[in-house]
Amino acid sequence: MQKQISLNPVETAELQKQFLHSLKLGTGRAMLLLKAHPQIDFSAQILAATVNNLAYDRQCEGSRAVYLYSLIKQSRQKDELIRTIIKKFSAKKRNDYGMDQLSDLVLYFHHDGIAGAKKALLKRFEKSFSNGYELYARDVLLEIEGMAGLIMAAEKVGQLPERERADYEDRWRVDDFQKENKSINVYAELAKAAGQNPAIKNYLDLILLVEPRKKYRRSKIVPYTLADIEEIVDEDSRFARFWQYRTEGMNPADIEQVARNILTEKDNNKKNKYLRFFDKTKFPFDYAPLLELASKKNIKKNRRIMNAVNALSYFKADDIRALALKKFSSEKTPWDYLRLLINNYQAGDAKILLEIIQRSDNFHHIHDLVAGLIDIFEANPDAECKAPLEAMYYGMNCAMHRWSVIDLLNRNGVLSDEIVEELAYDTDEDLRKLSRKIKLSRKIKAL
């Protein structure tokens, strides 16, 4: 049995602070702390992370319920945590990402046979749309009740006033349920129920107004022509979007004409759109006009400056590097200029990047830097990436970018054993898998 170390209140508070920070990031350090210090009560921190989804991009990252449930099961306060979570799930709360996470957790409780979990799920559903309660994740209802659950959800949505009903259109969910349940004719069952219940008919009419999703088929890639570019630029909008895969294989003469258009265009909005094109392919002429524009002030207020900076990132030159270093020293979070180092990185620049990261004092500042940092080290493999990338790992709460950070550390041979241990309990499933792969690879090499 592991001997427990006696801790004073200050040491305990510091470990609880570290634990909460790990929860905010979604890293596995929280689990390692919980295992190493079972005598410490971390339940308040776990509850804070369950009620509110702490991910940076909650829509893309989704629920952290799997990650949190592993911590709950390891905790000595497991039973009390489960009771409290069910109680909070049952209380009045907006249907947001925190509610989805609570729903997922209570569903896991149900799957593990915890008494009262299913009752809480169904009771919470019954309150949908009444007295401030909103409809919680319907996927949970489908999982525990199947077709009956879909009909229950259809009735709830169909009871809403017509102007509100459209917000709950979810044909894609019905179609996915049909694919997973081929033995049931889902639409026929809905139609049968609709014949007896006007609310379900309202729901069925709503989803049948929407075309079913077509199976995605990758179309043949056709390079842009000059006419394509000019059509996009002439569109009545402030922004233009270009795709890099369509710039590949373009006629060089067309690319040169787009560059000439930048130099001659008088309309600032169109000039800005032409500049965006050269974020996806290299400007074919001398970079001097790009540098002149990129050197101007107030990049946050002038998108043309930002687009010029992005276009400059394809070039290697002392004056471009000098501009980057100047902006690094004069702006707190100079994320706009990081890409200038992609082709102008030099040994020792990792220290500069680390200092920039250390200036950042919140998750948004840190996240603003991560894409540029990844681009730099993708183009410039360097063992010195260890310090800035580790600072990013320990300061960023975006699991999706964390994968790229870990991958770069690993490919550069500087991924620490400590982080590998943490990855086994990370909120991101792909990172948990990567941890196992790395451990196996290191074990084989050691033989």
Side-chain angles (χ1 to χ4, degrees):
M1 177 181 286
Q2 183 180 353
K3 185 178 179 181
Q4 294 183 13
I5 302 172
S6 179
L7 299 170
N8 63 44
V10 173
E11 292 171 324
T12 297
E14 175 57 29
L15 288 170
Q16 288 172 328
K17 181 180 177 181
Q18 292 178 25
F19 184 87
L20 181 59
H21 182 68
S22 176
L23 288 180
K24 290 177 180 178
L25 304 184
T27 63
R29 180 167 174 75
M31 178 61 83
L32 298 182
L33 286 170
L34 189 57
K35 288 184 173 184
H37 303 282
Q39 77 278 22
I40 297 179
D41 183 357
F42 292 109
S43 58
Q45 291 75 29
I46 293 173
L47 279 174
T50 57
V51 174
N52 298 297
N53 188 326
L54 301 177
Y56 183 82
D57 189 334
R58 294 167 294 180
Q59 183 174 6
C60 292
E61 189 176 325
S63 167
R64 288 180 167 184
V66 171
Y67 168 76
L68 292 166
Y69 193 30
S70 67
L71 294 168
I72 291 166
K73 287 190 286 188
Q74 183 68 32
S75 171
R76 285 185 176 181
Q77 291 77 34
K78 172 186 172 182
D79 293 340
E80 180 59 30
L81 277 168
I82 289 173
R83 283 194 294 270
T84 304
I85 288 168
I86 290 176
K87 186 176 179 180
K88 287 185 176 294
F89 168 72
S90 302
K92 187 184 297 185
K93 192 178 189 299
R94 288 188 60 202
N95 183 28
D96 59 10
Y97 295 108
M99 191 65 199
D100 286 344
Q101 189 166 266
L102 284 170
S103 299
D104 291 341
L105 278 167
V106 179
L107 178 63
Y108 291 138
F109 300 163
H110 164 62
H111 287 326
D112 280 355
I114 293 171
K118 181 176 180 180
K119 182 180 179 181
L121 287 164
L122 294 175
K123 190 173 180 181
R124 178 61 179 77
F125 173 76
E126 283 301 317
K127 292 182 178 180
S128 294
F129 305 121
S130 64
N131 194 26
Y133 290 86
E134 294 184 26
L135 183 64
Y136 78 88
R138 280 158 280 178
D139 294 327
V140 174
L141 188 65
L142 297 186
E143 189 162 340
I144 62 175
E145 293 293 298
M147 188 66 213
L150 177 58
I151 289 174
M152 291 164 65
E155 183 175 16
K156 284 289 184 186
V157 174
Q159 288 171 346
L160 290 171
E162 187 174 357
R163 63 182 181 280
E164 297 177 24
R165 207 178 299 152
D167 292 339
Y168 295 89
E169 181 281 310
D170 61 351
R171 176 165 187 154
W172 62 269
R173 181 178 276 112
V174 178
D175 289 342
D176 286 350
F177 182 73
Q178 176 66 84
K179 289 175 186 176
E180 294 165 6
N181 297 272
K182 293 183 170 54
S183 62
I184 305 172
N185 188 331
V186 174
Y187 281 93
E189 292 297 320
L190 280 173
K192 186 190 300 182
Q196 301 172 349
N197 188 318
I200 296 174
K201 183 179 186 304
N202 289 340
Y203 173 79
L204 183 59
D205 290 344
L206 174 68
I207 64 172
L208 289 178
L209 288 172
V210 180
E211 289 290 328
R213 288 180 299 180
K214 294 181 180 178
K215 188 175 180 181
Y216 175 75
R217 292 184 180 180
R218 190 180 183 91
S219 57
K220 182 180 178 182
I221 296 174
V222 180
Y224 289 120
T225 64
L226 179 60
D228 292 330
I229 303 302
E230 292 184 339
E231 181 180 352
I232 293 171
V233 169
D234 286 338
E235 288 176 355
D236 186 21
S237 65
R238 289 182 59 196
F239 307 108
R241 173 173 288 185
F242 300 99
W243 304 99
Q244 188 162 359
Y245 66 86
R246 290 196 63 190
T247 65
E248 297 166 4
M250 271 188 71
N251 184 334
D254 285 351
I255 294 176
E256 289 183 5
Q257 185 56 53
V258 177
R260 290 190 190 93
N261 291 347
I262 289 177
L263 303 176
T264 59
E265 181 59 59
K266 302 299 182 184
D267 183 291
N268 285 335
N269 187 38
K270 289 185 177 182
K271 185 186 286 284
N272 187 35
K273 292 179 182 179
Y274 282 127
L275 274 169
R276 283 181 66 86
F277 174 76
F278 288 104
D279 181 16
K280 305 304 179 186
T281 191
K282 188 175 181 179
F283 189 75
F285 304 141
D286 186 271
Y287 64 82
L290 299 176
L291 181 61
E292 180 183 1
L293 180 54
S295 301
K296 293 183 181 296
K297 296 180 180 179
N298 294 326
I299 191 170
K300 302 291 190 298
K301 296 181 180 179
N302 190 334
R303 300 187 70 88
R304 274 182 294 134
I305 301 175
M306 184 185 298
N307 292 334
V309 169
N310 290 335
L312 268 185
S313 67
Y314 287 91
F315 293 89
K316 181 176 182 178
D318 290 343
D319 46 4
I320 296 175
R321 176 176 168 80
L323 173 63
L325 297 181
K326 178 182 177 182
K327 296 298 184 180
F328 292 171
S329 63
S330 63
E331 297 198 15
K332 180 180 179 180
T333 313
W335 63 270
D336 323 71
Y337 297 94
L338 286 178
R339 289 185 64 191
L340 294 180
L341 279 197
I342 292 174
N343 285 296
N344 292 282
Y345 182 86
Q346 293 181 7
D349 283 351
K351 294 179 182 177
I352 298 172
L353 296 172
L354 175 61
E355 192 275 328
I356 291 172
I357 295 168
Q358 290 171 338
R359 282 183 224 159
S360 302
D361 53 13
N362 64 50
F363 290 136
H364 291 291
H365 288 167
I366 290 282
H367 193 266
D368 284 344
L369 298 170
V370 66
L373 201 72
I374 290 168
D375 287 343
I376 289 169
F377 288 118
E378 283 283 0
N380 301 277
D382 183 359
E384 290 188 357
C385 72
K386 179 178 171 65
L389 289 178
E390 282 192 351
M392 188 62 66
Y393 170 81
Y394 288 115
M396 177 184 64
N397 68 332
C398 174
M400 292 180 294
H401 277 114
R402 186 157 64 243
W403 197 98
S404 298
V405 168
I406 295 301
D407 183 52
L408 280 168
L409 285 166
N410 191 43
R411 283 193 277 136
N412 282 281
V414 291
L415 180 60
S416 69
D417 291 338
E418 178 184 354
I419 290 180
V420 172
E421 285 301 313
E422 292 185 9
L423 294 179
Y425 307 102
D426 197 276
T427 187
D428 185 80
E429 182 181 3
D430 290 333
L431 281 172
R432 297 195 296 270
K433 290 178 181 177
L434 182 62
S435 172
R436 294 192 290 271
K437 190 181 297 184
I438 291 170
K439 284 181 179 179
L440 179 60
S441 174
R442 291 183 176 185
K443 190 174 182 180
I444 292 172
K445 285 181 181 178
L447 294 177

